[in-house]
């Protein structure tokens, strides 16, 4: 009986432990997929931030060269201070992706070329009329071509991250379905196992109880039979005792008669 109770207690515990372990493993995979989704979202945000700073560079330089107003250079200075940190954060986020790492290295090199030309143009002063500056229009076209290359690189990085985002969303969705379906199957499986185990345990307990009850009944019947036999034996002994007593009295009476017949 103790073994049955021990198995009845340990079986649900073992099944629950196994179930929790499998569900925990599935949840960890699901969390990992959503962490990758979050990572891709951060990379896209960093790319857009760096792209905005580069556009601020370009817009500020163009505005200053055309208008000649120094306040137009303020976005240029702000972007110049913020861009190295933005590119550093972006590079750290994409360190796990060799293709993106190559693109960020190319982006840095291309931007250095653009900044070199922009600094040279700013050092030459502003232009209010393009005709007053020989080659000014050509310089603007050259800088625009470099900035177009930068935009193309940024676009490639965005496309790559969007592709990864789509793949990871599909993976996360697939893992969600697997986790939900697998969890449901595991719960049903555990319920079936526990039901069968409890049915077997209850059947064993019922059998053991019935056997014990039968033994008890047999013991009671044997005890009753023994008591009846003892009572019968006691009655028989009592009857024999009465018979012996009667014979004894008869013998005494005859002896008494014999003693009287032999007297003077």
């Amino acid at each position: 009986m103790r073994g049955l109770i021990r198995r009845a207690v340990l079986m649900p515990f073992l099944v629950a432990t196994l179930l929790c372990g499998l569900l925990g493993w599935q949840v960890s995979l699901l969390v990992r997929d959503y962490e990758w989704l979050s990572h891709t979202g951060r990379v896209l945000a960093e790319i857009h931030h760096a792209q905005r700073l580069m556009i601020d560079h370009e817009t500020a330089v163009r505005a200053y060269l055309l208008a000649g107003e120094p306040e137009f250079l303020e976005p240029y200075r702000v972007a110049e201070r913020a861009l190295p940190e933005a590119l550093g954060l972006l590079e750290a986020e994409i360190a796990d992706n060799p293709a993106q790492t190559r693109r960020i290295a190319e982006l840095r090199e291309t931007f250095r070329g653009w900044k070199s030309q922009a600094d040279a143009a700013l050092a030459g002063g502003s232009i209010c009329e393009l005709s007053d500056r020989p080659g000014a229009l050509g310089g603007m076209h050259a800088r625009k071509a470099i900035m177009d290359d930068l935009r193309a690189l940024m676009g490639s990085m965005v496309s790559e991250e969007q592709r990864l985002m789509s793949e990871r969303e599909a993976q996360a969705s697939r893992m969600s379905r697997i986790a939900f379906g697998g969890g449901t199957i595991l719960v049903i499986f555990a319920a079936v196992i526990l039901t069968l185990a409890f049915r077997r345990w209850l059947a064993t307990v019922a059998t053991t109880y019935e056997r014990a009850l039968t033994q008890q009944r047999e013991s009671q019947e044997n005890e009753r039979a023994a008591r009846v036999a003892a009572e019968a034996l006691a009655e028989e002994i009592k009857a024999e005792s009465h018979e012996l007593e009667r014979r004894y009295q008869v013998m005494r009476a005859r002896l008494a008669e014999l003693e009287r017949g032999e007297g003077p």
Side-chain angles (χ1 to χ4, degrees):
M1 182 63 71
R2 289 183 179 178
L4 290 175
I5 295 175
R6 188 180 300 110
R7 286 196 295 272
V9 173
L10 288 179
M11 178 64 74
F13 175 77
L14 293 176
V15 172
T17 302
L18 178 62
L19 180 63
C20 290
L22 291 174
L23 290 177
W25 174 69
Q26 289 183 337
V27 170
S28 67
L29 293 179
L30 190 60
V31 169
R32 184 199 62 183
D33 289 335
Y34 278 104
E35 285 177 349
W36 276 114
L37 278 176
S38 177
H39 168 76
T40 305
R42 291 195 303 272
V43 171
L44 285 171
E46 292 294 341
I47 291 173
H48 288 304
H49 179 55
Q51 188 175 28
R52 183 179 61 79
L53 292 174
M54 289 181 181
I55 292 173
D56 288 346
H57 257 259
E58 180 191 26
T59 303
V61 170
R62 184 180 298 171
Y64 175 74
L65 292 177
L66 292 176
E69 297 294 335
E71 58 267 22
F72 285 122
L73 287 178
E74 183 59 27
Y76 176 86
R77 298 188 185 97
V78 172
E80 189 174 28
R81 291 191 298 268
L83 191 57
E85 180 181 0
L87 292 177
L89 291 174
L90 176 58
E91 191 169 20
E93 290 286 355
I94 62 173
D96 62 299
N97 191 325
Q100 293 289 65
T101 302
R102 288 192 296 271
R103 289 189 183 100
I104 195 68
E106 186 178 354
L107 185 71
R108 285 180 180 275
E109 185 64 27
T110 304
F111 183 74
R112 276 194 291 268
W114 183 89
K115 188 174 183 303
S116 177
Q117 289 203 20
D119 289 342
L122 292 175
S126 64
I127 52 170
C128 295
E129 295 182 4
L130 295 177
S131 58
D132 294 340
R133 295 283 303 276
L137 186 58
M140 292 182 67
H141 281 298
R143 289 191 297 275
K144 181 180 181 302
I146 296 175
M147 187 56 66
D148 288 341
D149 291 339
L150 289 172
R151 290 191 180 94
L153 281 171
M154 287 287 191
S156 298
M157 296 180 72
V158 170
S159 297
E160 174 67 12
E161 292 301 323
Q162 287 176 342
R163 182 187 67 79
L164 292 173
M165 176 74 81
S166 298
E167 290 180 358
R168 288 163 181 171
E169 284 178 344
Q171 175 70 13
S173 177
R174 184 163 56 253
M175 284 305 303
S176 296
R177 292 193 299 271
I178 291 173
F180 179 76
T184 303
I185 292 173
L186 287 173
V187 169
I188 294 174
F189 176 75
V192 170
I193 292 296
L194 289 176
T195 300
L196 293 176
F198 273 111
R199 285 185 62 183
R200 183 177 178 183
W201 178 74
L202 289 175
T204 305
V205 170
T207 302
T208 304
Y209 176 76
E210 288 178 0
R211 187 182 299 115
L213 185 60
T214 300
Q215 291 176 351
Q216 183 182 10
R217 287 174 179 171
E218 291 177 352
S219 176
Q220 289 177 348
E221 289 177 358
N222 291 334
E223 182 181 355
R224 188 181 302 110
R227 186 169 58 251
V228 170
E231 290 176 353
L233 181 61
E235 290 294 331
E236 185 178 353
I237 293 172
K238 184 177 180 182
E240 291 290 336
S241 177
H242 286 306
E243 180 64 19
L244 290 173
E245 179 68 21
R246 185 184 67 77
R247 290 179 180 180
Y248 174 72
Q249 294 296 333
V250 170
M251 290 178 64
R252 285 187 63 183
R254 287 181 178 177
L255 287 173
E257 289 177 358
L258 289 174
E259 288 178 353
R260 285 194 299 271
E262 294 176 358

